Amino acid sequence: MGGTGIGRTVLGLVAGLAVLGAATPGRSQSGVTVRLFQFTPGEVEVRAGTKVTWTNQDDIAHTVTSGTPERREDRFDAALAGKGATASVELREPGVYPYFCNRHQSMRGEIRVK
Ligand SMILES: [Cu+2]
């Protein structure tokens, strides 16, 4: 028989999600699609501790690299090897986290953690 503690935690996450808007799938998760050399949506706003997952829909490799090409931040640097590849980052501190693709540096995105 399961405990009731887990149920309460899930309820808390669902309540928090309402702030993010209807477009956000899942519970404490947010998704970015990588397609046609673009991160979509380019800006994502999440609560601290939310897992953000990128899914590559291009046939070529991209990266999710923190900072900008001019000013790297070294918080994360994930490879999206090819179509269907995913990478996730969980940011726990509020702030604005720009990122880019290290292979195509015009590809830029931003995560805002509340
Ligand atoms: Cu790329």
Side-chain angles (χ1 to χ4, degrees):
M1 305 307 157
T4 53
I6 291 172
R8 186 183 300 164
T9 304
V10 170
L11 265 183
L13 291 171
V14 170
L17 243 197
V19 177
L20 299 175
T24 307
R27 293 198 174 97
S28 56
Q29 296 198 0
S30 186
V32 177
T33 297
V34 187
R35 187 163 172 263
L36 300 175
F37 297 89
Q38 283 193 321
F39 296 111
T40 306
E43 289 183 13
V44 176
E45 190 172 299
V46 299
R47 289 163 61 90
T50 301
K51 186 193 232 183
V52 179
T53 300
W54 287 263
T55 303
N56 191 1
Q57 293 189 359
D58 282 341
D59 288 323
I60 55 160
H62 295 291
T63 76
V64 176
T65 304
S66 74
T68 65
E70 298 78 23
R71 190 163 174 275
R72 293 172 188 243
E73 291 183 352
D74 289 328
R75 289 177 187 276
F76 49 86
D77 184 11
L80 293 167
K83 200 164 206 167
T86 64
S88 296
V89 165
E90 197 175 306
L91 296 164
R92 298 188 167 277
E93 287 180 39
V96 177
Y97 302 91
Y99 67 90
F100 66 102
C101 173
N102 200 27
R103 289 166 54 94
H104 315 100
Q105 297 188 347
S106 64
M107 294 176 63
R108 313 276 180 111
E110 191 171 277
I111 307 167
R112 293 167 183 262
V113 180
K114 294 287 180 184

